[in-house]
């Protein structure tokens, strides 16, 4: 088995890079967490869009009763949208039974990658063990294919640069996968090993440490302190968002 990681979404995506791989896409603050929250609260589906215009167009084609438009630029709700990117806005009352369209600065850019993967999963701390269970079940149920199994982590980062919270979330998942399959042989790329190493280094004071980093500080400054607390909670929502091919 191979484990690989991309710590930002800005890399050349060669045709077969993710073919048949299990790909976990991470934007802890806040797109992955918000999408997971929306699905937990009964959203029918969530459609990620890499541009605001495209999101508005998709929204315009859906019927009024079942549509919900969310997203952010610079962390704030775009004019005319139903919600920003705070998981607290995606309550059961707001999203149950609805098609949620969401466009965020970095996260939704990641979620449209890896189109020929076997599975594209949205991962965060809030659904960490649900995502791992899904991956373990998938690997264990295709045992014969074990040597060809590939699990990749795509982190959203911030504007083309690494973000610590995404790297540590990927590192936590990589660490569990690595330890579980070690005895069967695991090849781990340098970037996946960096994420794993950093996770182990920070695991005893992770939350406190992450609070001192760039994106949490930015969100604190613009009034979303509560969001950070939620986004750094382990296993709050046992759901596994899967990204389906475009309709
Ligand atoms: C993003 O996609 O860049 C983030 O989700 C930004 C945020 O709203 O915190």
């Amino acid at each position: 088995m191979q484990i690989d990681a991309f710590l930002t979404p800005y890399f050349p995506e060669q045709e077969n890079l993710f073919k048949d791989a299990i790909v976990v896409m991470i934007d802890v603050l806040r797109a992955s967490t918000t999408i997971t929250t929306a699905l937990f609260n009964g959203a029918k589906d969530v459609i990620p869009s890499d541009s605001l215009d495209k999101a508005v167009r998709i929204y315009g084609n859906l019927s009024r009763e079942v549509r919900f438009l969310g997203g952010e630029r610079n962390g704030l709700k775009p004019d005319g949208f139903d919600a920003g990117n705070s998981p607290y806005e995606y309550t059961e009352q707001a999203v149950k039974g609805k098609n949620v369209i969401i466009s965020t600065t970095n996260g939704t850019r990641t979620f449209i990658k890896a189109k020929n993967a076997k599975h594209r999963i949205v991962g965060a701390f809030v659904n960490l063990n649900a995502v791992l269970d899904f991956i373990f079940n998938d690997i264990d149920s295709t045992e014969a294919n074990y040597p060809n199994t590939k699990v990749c982590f795509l982190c959203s980062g911030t504007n083309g640069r690494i973000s610590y919270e995404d790297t540590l979330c990927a590192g936590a998942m990589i660490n569990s996968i690595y330890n579980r399959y070690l005895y069967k042989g695991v090849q781990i790329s340098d970037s996946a090993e960096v994420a794993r190493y950093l996770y182990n280094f920070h695991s005893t004071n992770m939350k406190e440490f992450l609070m001192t980093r760039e994106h949490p500080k930015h969100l604190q400054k613009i009034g979303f302190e509560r969001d950070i607390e939620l986004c750094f909670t382990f296993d709050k929502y046992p759901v596994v968002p899967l990204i389906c091919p475009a309709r």
Side-chain angles (χ1 to χ4, degrees), residues 2-243:
Q2 286 176 52
I3 308 178
D4 201 357
F6 295 79
L7 303 182
T8 83
Y10 293 87
F11 56 85
E13 190 174 335
Q14 282 121 12
E15 210 180 314
N16 286 329
L17 192 56
F18 300 108
K19 193 164 175 339
D20 300 328
I22 301 169
V23 177
V24 183
M25 301 169 145
I26 298 174
D27 183 15
V28 170
L29 294 174
R30 292 165 292 173
S32 291
T33 307
T34 297
I35 289 172
T36 307
T37 305
L39 291 168
F40 180 81
N41 284 334
K44 193 165 160 226
D45 56 17
V46 179
I47 305 165
S49 164
D50 57 342
S51 88
L52 293 178
D53 286 352
K54 224 189 279 173
V56 170
R57 264 201 312 277
I58 299 169
Y59 179 77
N61 288 329
L62 295 169
S63 74
R64 230 171 251 281
E65 307 73 53
V66 293
R67 64 188 187 180
F68 189 86
L69 182 59
E72 60 68 42
R73 287 299 178 266
N74 296 318
L76 301 173
K77 176 165 91 84
D79 282 348
F81 275 42
D82 298 319
N85 192 26
S86 167
Y88 283 106
E89 293 174 274
Y90 295 71
T91 58
E92 188 174 338
Q93 201 183 11
V95 301
K96 192 164 182 192
K98 300 221 172 130
N99 301 111
V100 173
I101 303 112
I102 190 163
S103 178
T104 71
T105 314
N106 299 282
T108 48
R109 227 180 259 272
T110 309
F111 304 145
I112 58 167
K113 291 183 95 79
K115 293 199 173 58
N116 58 0
K118 180 180 181 195
H119 300 297
R120 293 189 293 164
I121 306 166
V122 174
F125 288 120
V126 291
N127 66 349
L128 190 132
N129 274 295
V131 170
L132 284 173
D133 285 345
F134 179 94
I135 294 171
F136 296 156
N137 281 335
D138 192 79
I139 295 174
D140 297 346
S141 66
T142 50
E143 175 86 33
N145 194 37
Y146 181 81
N148 302 320
T149 299
K150 192 169 171 184
V151 188
C152 297
F153 290 81
L154 301 194
C155 298
S156 299
T158 304
N159 302 328
R161 295 157 74 227
I162 289 174
S163 67
Y164 231 119
E165 64 279 358
D166 293 345
T167 305
L168 294 193
C169 183
M173 293 191 198
I174 291 167
N175 194 50
S176 291
I177 298 169
Y178 181 81
N179 289 334
R180 182 179 167 107
Y181 295 104
L182 188 55
Y183 71 99
K184 294 181 98 179
V186 181
Q187 281 175 37
I188 182 165
S189 71
D190 281 0
S191 41
E193 182 58 23
V194 165
R196 191 175 87 90
Y197 178 84
L198 287 175
Y199 164 71
N200 281 311
F201 187 79
H202 290 292
S203 64
T204 52
N205 70 339
M206 195 159 73
K207 221 162 159 178
E208 295 72 21
F209 170 73
L210 285 178
M211 286 297 195
T212 67
R213 301 316 310 149
E214 290 174 20
H215 200 53
K217 273 169 60 188
H218 169 67
L219 288 174
Q220 267 166 325
K221 206 154 116 196
I222 60 172
F224 291 110
E225 183 133 22
R226 222 160 57 112
D227 289 18
I228 311 168
E229 193 59 44
L230 190 155
C231 293
F232 290 168
T233 305
F234 279 87
D235 298 323
K236 189 174 171 68
Y237 301 127
V239 292
V240 180
L242 293 175
I243 299 183

